[in-house]
Amino acid sequence: MKNVMRNAMRNLIQQAGERAELVSALLALTVYLTGLTLQLTGNGGAASLALFLAAYVFGGLFTLREAVATLRRGRFQVDFLMLVAAAGAAVIGRWEEGAVLLVLFSLGHALEEYAMGRARRSIEALGELAPRTALVRRTGGEPVEVPVEELVVGDTVLIRPHTRVPADGFVAAGRSSVDQSPITGESVPADKEPVPDPAAALADPAGVDAAARAYAGTVNGSGTLDVVVTRLHQDNTLARVVRMVQDAEERTSPTQRFTDRFQRVFVPGVLVLVAGLSAYGALSGEPFADTLYRAMAVLVAASPCALAIATPAAVLSAVGRAARGGVLVKGGAPLEEFGRLRTIAFDKTGTLTEGRPRLTEVETADGASREDLLHTAVAAQRLSDHPLAQAVVRDAPALLTGAGPAPAEAVNLRAVIGRGVSAEVDGETVHIGSLSYADTLPGVPVPAALRARTEALSSTGRTTMVVRRGDRWLGTLGLMDAPRAEAAATVAALRALGVTRTVMLSGDDQRVADAVGRTLGMDEVRGGLMPQDKVTEVTRLRRTARTAMIGDGVNDAPAMAGATVGVAMGAAGSAVALETADIALMSDDLRRLPFITGLSRRAARVIRQNLWLSLGIVAVLVPATALGMGIGPAVLVHEGSTLVVVANALRLLRHRDEA
């Protein structure tokens, strides 16, 4: 009989695979209900006992395995308490009570594992986004289909319309729109265009513009692309994200560490309580069967099943939801900490701003035209490689009101480092530079009205350039690193979510930083900071409150490391950012920040709800069973609370992205 049962169990496990526990629990429920029916109809006897025994076997199989594994690690957990309670019921002949205990416990545990598996599958599904094969162009022939594992850096893969990109790389030929939402969470497809120099791009992949980058697992639109591979299959962005999300399960939150410590003390304490109740019953003359039954009922009631799963279920669901939204959260600790903090420090350049100067104002002098000013400035600045000069050349055409003549060609560019430039345009000398540079020029001084307007622009944080052609002052150009279009709305959304203090850290002049800070509604602005000064500022903020530092994850890495939680933007294109940040926004879209803030706050609420529910159930059930509640009702409430806790956590998988 034992050999038959053992072989049946082995076959069950082999055939059912990962669903073996649920199948075993359902078999336990079936044989238990059959035995109970026979007993209630008066046809029980040996048949009912055999069926209850079978329920013990099916219901206790996986419970026993878990208990042995934890005991080998020197720990007592819920599985052990349940087996002790079931064994106690058998000792006093209450086979049906012990059977219902193991049946409900195994069924609840199986459903809990199934639900948790759903959360894990939402994470594992990310790894299935990348295709398993790629069409490679080699030696100038027709594309050949090869497994993605065989791709090497430098291979050119053909991406046909409406197919997934098989590898990280850059676009060498073709134009299309690519849905990058699986990686970055962006809701709008990104337009892709080829790099100007494929050889240079392959030599420095990190310097490739975002408009030419391609990521494994993203979906091509209606165009055809040639993408040059820059990362091997196992090192692409998608593979790294999946590995890091899976590793995040191992990084426990402060609440989880507390519940683990609590259980290590609580479970032995429950055993001591049960022993005390048994001793009291024996000393008071109560029948042994009644004493042991009550002790086993208390044992069931005090088992902290829901408490054990309360935090991991919420963390796993939230991390999975964040990953699907283009945010990598490295475990429960940063998730929980981010859900609690009220202070956020931002790096300015490239985080709150676009990270490059733009021509934003054009002020003409009396008697000069806008077209003359811009055409002259473009002609002279076209010869310079300075970022401000390049911004003028790039942005000026959009600010011209009419077609007008094309800018003339300039010659003989001369630069005065840190002050300005001069060049020859149509035989006239053109000077472009700061007011201090203009004041050093011979001839007609800067008109008072133009000087006043220039100084007014400077006071608002603009970098100003005064333009003179021959003896005529044409006007002033104002440039600044413009805030991102979504930056002000993001700061407002964070405030609505409970962030009470926003601080901007910048290496720019304080006036420039103040101007940007006022535009965005920042509470505090710190300008003129070197990287080490940013670390000092973050340390100062942490002395009074939990603080997050938002940056690009590269030059801001020291300040991010010093914060309670470090958040990197645009991590999809930066391996350094993926490694250094606690939370990584895969895209450059600041709107991901309110999304993860709202999700982390909701996860923190769910964790608190689960903890209070699980502790409250134990607090009610222990005295109830001590006063006479049976094992059946106790285990029903006990397992029901566990399922409620898991279901509450799974709601995080459906968290809405308001952006």
Side-chain angles (χ1 to χ4, degrees), residues 143-167:
V144 178
E145 187 171 12
V146 301
V148 292
E149 292 82 2
E150 295 181 10
L151 293 175
V152 297
V153 174
D155 275 345
T156 299
V157 295
L158 171 65
I159 315 297
R160 287 176 171 156
H162 310 298
T163 60
R164 289 191 181 274
V165 178

